[in-house]
Amino acid sequence: AQKVTQAQTEISVVEKEDVTLDCVYETRDTTYYLFWYKQPPSGELVFLIRRNSFDEQNEISGRYSWNFQKSTSSFNFTITASQVVDSAVYFCALGNFNKFYFGSGTKLNVKP
Amino acid sequence: GAGVSQSPSNKVTEKGKDVELRCDPISGHTALYWYRQRLGQGLEFLIYFQGNSAPDKSGLPSDRFSAERTGESVSTLTIQRTQQEDSAVYLCASSSRSGTGYTFGSGTRLTVV
């Protein structure tokens, strides 16, 4: 079965704090993709990153970084020096070309 | 087009009426997906189209839901005899065959009263 678990329903931090959003997945596929999407209050889903199952290199993009660990089936997302504009719901997703399974999302509140 | 376009952006309908939601994918994207997002919840897969292959309808919640797509063009999601539990944002996404991540439209917010 394919499943994505985002155990943190809501996180509140103060601006400039670092925050990590957890994502744990289950799949029997050997080839799969993992994604993170951001959904700001406007509602539109914004693509952040895609990672395939053969690429376990961590990635850093500005204040964002992702830690993919196949051994623990986790794909965690860290925001460094958070800003108020980072406030949104963040979704982790798992899939291939056919169907993507989304976690229930983590709502991040960044307070000034 | 430059992005995935969905229409209408908002739809209020009376219980029992049929509604049709439209999705115009990014030109050249072979794959098209429909998802439903209820208030405060995650995305629920509904249906997937890939080129001219038979669609994956495994996520459609009931036979009141149907979707069509001709080739790699526009798709319509139809909900017949709407119920209040159908109230949600319906999101469409498209992607290229390379699967470089898919692009979502801004959704249609459906309210059944």
Side-chain angles (χ1 to χ4, degrees):
Chain A
Q2 315 266 24
K3 186 179 177 182
V4 176
T5 301
Q6 294 180 255
Q8 305 150 306
T9 305
E10 188 165 354
I11 302 175
S12 292
V13 299
V14 177
E15 205 169 19
K16 297 184 183 175
E17 284 185 18
D18 298 347
V19 58
T20 295
L21 310 182
D22 298 333
C23 173
V24 175
Y25 63 92
E26 296 175 29
T27 182
R28 291 182 181 174
D29 291 344
T30 54
T31 302
Y32 52 89
Y33 291 92
L34 294 163
F35 298 80
W36 275 95
Y37 281 85
K38 174 182 179 180
Q39 188 175 45
S42 60
E44 193 159 344
L45 278 158
V46 179
F47 167 78
L48 295 178
I49 190 172
R50 178 191 78 151
R51 176 63 85 228
N52 75 48
S53 52
F54 295 108
D55 182 1
E56 287 193 70
Q57 284 189 1
N58 292 332
E59 179 155 341
I60 298 175
S61 176
R63 296 185 297 107
Y64 295 169
S65 62
W66 290 270
N67 182 0
F68 175 29
Q69 292 196 347
K70 224 169 169 180
S71 60
T72 56
S73 297
S74 64
F75 186 44
N76 296 337
F77 172 31
T78 297
I79 302 174
T80 304
S82 59
Q83 299 176 1
V84 172
V85 294
D86 296 328
S87 296
V89 179
Y90 291 85
F91 291 97
C92 179
L94 160 75
N96 50 37
F97 294 112
N98 288 355
K99 191 185 298 183
F100 289 81
Y101 297 85
F102 282 78
S104 53
T106 297
K107 184 176 182 181
L108 175 64
N109 302 304
V110 181
K111 301 175 182 178
Chain B
V4 177
S5 178
Q6 289 189 247
S7 60
S9 55
N10 279 285
K11 175 74 177 177
V12 180
T13 190
E14 292 181 355
K15 180 181 172 181
K17 300 277 190 183
D18 297 352
V19 295
E20 195 172 275
L21 313 180
R22 177 188 168 105
C23 173
D24 204 340
I26 291 174
S27 178
H29 277 192
T30 57
L32 187 147
Y33 311 78
W34 282 99
Y35 285 85
R36 177 169 69 179
Q37 186 178 27
R38 290 197 168 111
L39 186 63
Q41 298 187 20
L43 278 73
E44 179 186 356
F45 169 79
L46 296 178
I47 189 168
Y48 159 73
F49 295 91
Q50 174 61 266
N52 292 315
S53 303
D56 177 349
K57 304 180 181 180
S58 60
L60 294 178
S62 77
D63 59 8
R64 295 187 296 104
F65 288 72
S66 62
E68 291 184 353
R69 187 187 188 200
T70 304
E72 297 178 2
S73 62
V74 170
S75 174
T76 55
L77 176 69
T78 301
I79 308 173
Q80 296 178 310
R81 304 181 303 282
T82 51
Q83 304 294 315
Q84 287 186 328
E85 65 261 26
D86 300 334
S87 295
V89 175
Y90 289 82
L91 289 157
C92 175
S94 70
S95 74
S96 64
R97 192 64 182 97
S98 64
T100 51
Y102 49 2
T103 304
F104 280 88
S106 51
T108 294
R109 181 176 299 278
L110 176 66
T111 305
V112 182
V113 297

